[in-house]
Amino acid sequence: MVSRAVGNAVTRNRVKRRLRHLVGERLGSLPSESLLVVRALPASATASYPGLGRDLDTALGRLGITPQRPAVGTLVETP
């Protein structure tokens, strides 16, 4: 979820795309029956891509989920 507080439409869409990709890399770590909602805070508008990834990993770690991400340069196919 990305509210208007994050920024204008261009900024919100950029944040959405980044978070969608970051979460997609980590879906294999989640239990199959889980439901995940990611809410972007206003600071995510100026956060770097790696910074968003670290924040997402921290949030998942608080839930007891260790993210399994592919190695850098590995092609990831999505269904």
Side-chain angles (χ1 to χ4, degrees):
M1 298 177 71
V2 182
S3 73
R4 285 186 180 174
V6 172
N8 63 21
V10 173
T11 302
R12 291 192 311 268
N13 285 329
R14 184 179 63 241
V15 170
K16 278 189 250 186
R17 286 190 308 270
R18 287 178 170 184
L19 287 172
R20 191 178 305 126
H21 187 264
L22 289 165
V23 170
E25 290 178 341
R26 293 155 175 80
L27 282 178
S29 304
L30 300 175
S32 61
E33 68 279 355
S34 62
L35 176 65
L36 178 68
V37 177
V38 177
R39 180 174 173 250
L41 298 176
S44 62
T46 57
S48 66
Y49 184 81
L52 284 174
R54 283 190 301 273
D55 290 345
L56 182 58
D57 289 342
T58 300
L60 291 174
R62 288 179 182 172
L63 297 173
I65 299 169
T66 304
Q68 299 170 351
R69 294 178 298 165
V72 174
T74 305
L75 179 63
V76 178
E77 294 184 28
T78 54

